[in-house]
Amino acid sequence: MIDPKSEEHFEDNFEERDRDVQAEIEAERIAEALVFASSQPVSEGFLSERLPEKTDVHAIMLRLKEQYAPRGVNLLQVEGAWAFRTAADLSFVIRRDDNEVKKLSRAALEVLAIIAYHQPVTRAEIEDIRGVQTSRGTLDVLMEAGWVRFRGRRRTPGRPVTLGTTRDFLDHFGLEELRDLPGLEELKGAGLLSGRIPANFNIPSPLMNDELTEDEDPITQMDLEELGLLAPRGTSED
């Protein structure tokens, strides 16, 4: 004979589990909608502020990522934030003529690659690696594309500005983080490196976060004015 109290307890537990499942499904729907509606990658902090308290945001996003993996649109993690992007194997069917970034010159591609792999890096260091001077126009193109930014100032004579890549750089090239940059074998396979490169040639490991290194100082208001990125204080722009 079934104990009525045990049966009642079982039903209560079942209803509680059902409520938990429904709450989790609703949280997934909200997170999905928030990311879909945003034109920029959405941070987990942003999502946690808008989802029910104690929601495991990271677990929810990983489940959504798995659900979207075989679809034409994928959910990607870009430097700790989340965004929907066309599946890599379908990018050829998407017309992007209206939004296509100006095709980069060989010099700009070289500079971008050096910044990506060697960051934080100064202009002088870029020129030393390339063996030629880098024009301001080349850096301007990369800045305007939103792929390169000023990180800080090196604690050396002259306090040169250090450069690094941006989240938009990762997003544009379909990278979740800098560790996903192609390695030596991948670059060889893509024909981007000569088959007769020196035996001791190595691809540097890029810095994995945005934190300033021990030999960098943060960029200040005065630095931005000096670099021409802000109008000097006390003056107004027309």
Side-chain angles (χ1 to χ4, degrees):
M1 185 173 180
I2 299 175
D3 184 351
K5 289 185 179 180
S6 297
E7 185 175 0
E8 184 179 343
H9 180 69
F10 174 80
E11 290 177 354
D12 288 343
N13 286 341
F14 180 81
E15 289 177 2
E16 185 176 349
R17 286 196 298 271
D18 185 57
R19 285 195 298 270
D20 290 342
V21 170
Q22 292 302 318
E24 205 163 86
I25 292 173
E26 186 64 15
E28 284 186 4
R29 294 180 66 241
I30 295 172
E32 184 179 28
L34 288 169
V35 176
F36 179 80
S38 175
S39 60
Q40 298 293 325
V42 177
S43 69
E44 292 187 4
F46 177 89
L47 294 172
S48 65
E49 291 174 358
R50 288 155 180 80
L51 292 173
E53 191 176 355
K54 296 182 180 180
T55 298
D56 189 341
V57 176
H58 190 65
I60 283 177
M61 301 312 293
L62 290 178
R63 282 199 299 274
L64 285 172
K65 179 181 180 180
E66 185 176 353
Q67 292 170 23
Y68 275 92
R71 301 183 186 179
V73 175
N74 296 154
L75 180 62
L76 301 179
Q77 190 172 16
V78 183
E79 210 176 46
W82 295 89
F84 282 113
R85 295 293 180 261
T86 303
D89 62 326
L90 298 179
S91 59
F92 71 95
V93 301
I94 306 298
R95 289 182 60 86
R96 301 172 67 177
D97 299 343
D98 295 337
N99 299 316
E100 193 70 31
V101 176
K102 180 180 177 182
K103 187 174 181 180
L104 296 181
S105 65
R106 182 180 181 84
L109 284 171
E110 288 178 358
V111 171
L112 180 61
I114 290 170
I115 293 173
Y117 283 98
H118 290 265
Q119 59 186 304
V121 63
T122 67
R123 181 172 171 176
E125 290 166 345
I126 293 171
E127 292 175 347
D128 185 52
I129 293 169
R130 294 185 66 218
V132 295
Q133 286 191 333
T134 300
S135 71
R136 178 59 188 263
T138 297
L139 287 174
D140 285 344
V141 167
L142 298 176
M143 293 280 187
E144 289 169 8
W147 296 343
V148 169
R149 65 184 178 87
F150 294 123
R151 282 178 50 95
R153 304 204 81 156
R154 187 68 55 76
R155 293 177 183 173
T156 56
R159 299 187 66 246
V161 174
T162 55
L163 300 161
T165 52
T166 65
R167 178 184 288 173
D168 285 346
F169 164 79
L170 296 175
D171 193 16
H172 182 86
F173 289 98
L175 305 171
E176 292 193 359
E177 54 187 356
L178 287 172
R179 73 174 75 250
D180 295 326
L181 284 167
L184 183 59
E185 295 305 318
E186 292 171 290
L187 292 174
K188 282 182 183 178
L192 298 176
L193 288 177
S194 166
R196 293 182 293 180
I197 59 176
N200 61 347
F201 180 82
N202 289 308
I203 297 293
S205 298
L207 194 68
M208 288 296 118
N209 57 56
D210 289 337
E211 294 181 7
L212 297 176
T213 59
E214 292 182 357
D215 65 346
E216 283 182 291
D217 286 322
I219 292 279
T220 65
Q221 171 87 14
M222 186 177 298
D223 292 326
L224 294 175
E225 293 173 3
E226 180 184 324
L227 295 167
L229 300 180
L230 289 178
R233 296 179 189 179
T235 65
S236 60
E237 296 181 345
D238 295 333

